[in-house]
Amino acid sequence: MIVARIDDGSYPVGAKVPSVVELSTEFGIAASTAQKALTHLKSEGLIRTEVGLGSFVAQKP
């Protein structure tokens, strides 16, 4: 779902991605599952994280 939102421009480059708590609430999933999803997105290069600020959509290569 997050990937689709990045692809369709709902979350444009530089936009803040919902936090673990926000994702778990929105999708009704465990916080650990939301964290795994964000970790996967980061490993795929779709998002970048900034300590203390959150996760943001990364510039596409």
Side-chain angles (χ1 to χ4, degrees):
M1 185 60 79
I2 299 167
V3 174
R5 291 179 183 177
I6 291 171
D7 287 342
D8 74 12
S10 295
Y11 297 156
V13 172
K16 191 169 190 303
V17 177
S19 68
V20 168
V21 172
E22 292 167 332
L23 289 173
S24 62
T25 300
E26 179 178 352
F27 296 109
I29 57 175
S32 60
T33 302
Q35 182 60 55
K36 287 177 187 175
L38 291 177
T39 300
H40 177 73
L41 292 174
K42 184 176 180 184
S43 72
E44 293 292 314
L46 294 173
I47 64 171
R48 60 183 170 77
T49 56
E50 294 186 27
V51 177
L53 295 177
S55 299
F56 301 87
V57 178
Q59 185 76 30
K60 294 182 182 177

